[in-house]
Amino acid sequence: MLTAVLLLVSLQAGATGPGVPEPRSGREIKMDVQLDAAFLAAADTNHDGALDLKEFTAEFDRRIDAMIAGDDEAQRKIKPADRAKMREGMIAPAFRGMDKNSDGLLTRDEVKSFSR
């Protein structure tokens, strides 16, 4: 099992960069995601046993939406542009790093192999 921790809003000065939203307050919002069988099953919307980048990022978006749904401050701070930066700067590179054969699909074996 692999755990992905996304820093959604950074507190530390100088901690910004590609894919990291600009700090806006004195609070950090983190999201822990278990890249396990449940994540893969939920993300595999076409049920082909593998995830493409669109499925992978859509599941992260769904989980981010669920996490911030009850948090008014987070909803104000995490703007669509921030989400695009996260996709480009963190989520897409993570996907490519796990896609060992570079076929644009992420299998359960690739996720397991990456977590070892």
Side-chain angles (χ1 to χ4, degrees):
M1 179 182 344
L2 178 67
T3 302
V5 178
L6 298 178
L7 176 61
L8 299 179
V9 177
S10 174
L11 288 177
Q12 302 169 351
T16 61
V20 180
E22 294 292 326
R24 292 188 176 97
S25 79
R27 177 167 95 105
E28 201 171 69
I29 302 168
K30 290 184 181 179
M31 182 174 114
D32 294 327
V33 176
Q34 302 295 319
L35 297 180
D36 55 11
F39 178 94
L40 297 173
D44 187 13
T45 57
N46 66 2
H47 309 291
D48 66 353
L51 303 181
D52 61 24
L53 181 58
K54 184 178 176 183
E55 289 172 315
F56 189 73
T57 56
E59 183 61 16
F60 270 101
D61 280 345
R62 187 187 70 74
R63 290 174 184 236
I64 291 168
D65 287 343
M67 184 198 76
I68 67 173
D71 187 332
D72 293 337
E73 183 181 0
Q75 289 176 27
R76 283 191 308 276
K77 291 176 189 236
I78 302 172
K79 305 291 185 204
D82 294 332
R83 298 283 284 274
K85 285 181 183 180
M86 286 188 289
R87 279 187 214 100
E88 294 167 15
M90 292 185 283
I91 297 170
F95 178 90
R96 287 190 294 275
M98 287 184 276
D99 183 13
K100 295 298 182 190
N101 63 0
S102 300
D103 65 353
L105 296 172
L106 194 58
T107 64
R108 183 182 341 214
D109 289 339
E110 287 173 316
V111 172
K112 283 182 186 177
S113 171
F114 188 79
S115 66
R116 290 185 195 142

